[in-house]
Amino acid sequence: MIYFLALLPATALTIAGYLVLYLAARSEGALRTFGRYLGFWAFTLAGLLILGSLFAAAHGHRHCPFFGMHGMHERMDGPWPPAERAALGVPPAPATAPNPAPAPAGPPPAPR
């Protein structure tokens, strides 16, 4: 629902774009050209703001905007720390044996 707040600056940018285009149409020379570009830029920014809010709403909270700070926002994948397991009453993780060493290969085949 907070993404609807993106409509407020997008509306303001659209109104400003129309105002700039109106004033540019009444001016002459380089100011008219600059006003047209400025008006279209305001419309572009308003469109990008709406598209960005739609993109953010579609992706939800799956991606953290602060790269490398996942530990502050959510628990990462992997086993729980022992203290957290004990606090939640979860039984301790089973101990796993290390992988056995691979069996030695036999002698190489004899050349023909």
Side-chain angles (χ1 to χ4, degrees):
M1 294 307 241
I2 194 142
Y3 300 109
F4 285 120
L5 289 178
L7 291 176
L8 296 175
T11 303
L13 280 169
T14 304
I15 292 171
Y18 276 118
L19 180 66
V20 168
L21 284 177
Y22 175 75
L23 293 174
R26 297 176 52 110
S27 61
E28 298 175 355
L31 193 58
R32 178 180 221 161
T33 305
F34 177 72
R36 289 183 64 195
Y37 285 129
L38 188 63
F40 287 125
W41 180 248
F43 288 137
T44 303
L45 287 180
L48 287 175
L49 197 72
I50 296 297
L51 287 176
S53 66
L54 290 175
F55 181 77
H59 284 278
H61 297 286
R62 286 183 278 168
H63 300 290
C64 180
F66 303 104
F67 301 109
M69 297 177 66
H70 289 286
M72 295 176 66
H73 303 294
E74 60 201 29
R75 190 177 67 81
M76 294 294 289
D77 294 333
W80 289 356
E84 188 176 341
R85 282 183 167 276
L88 294 174
V90 178
T96 57
N99 291 336
R112 292 184 171 187

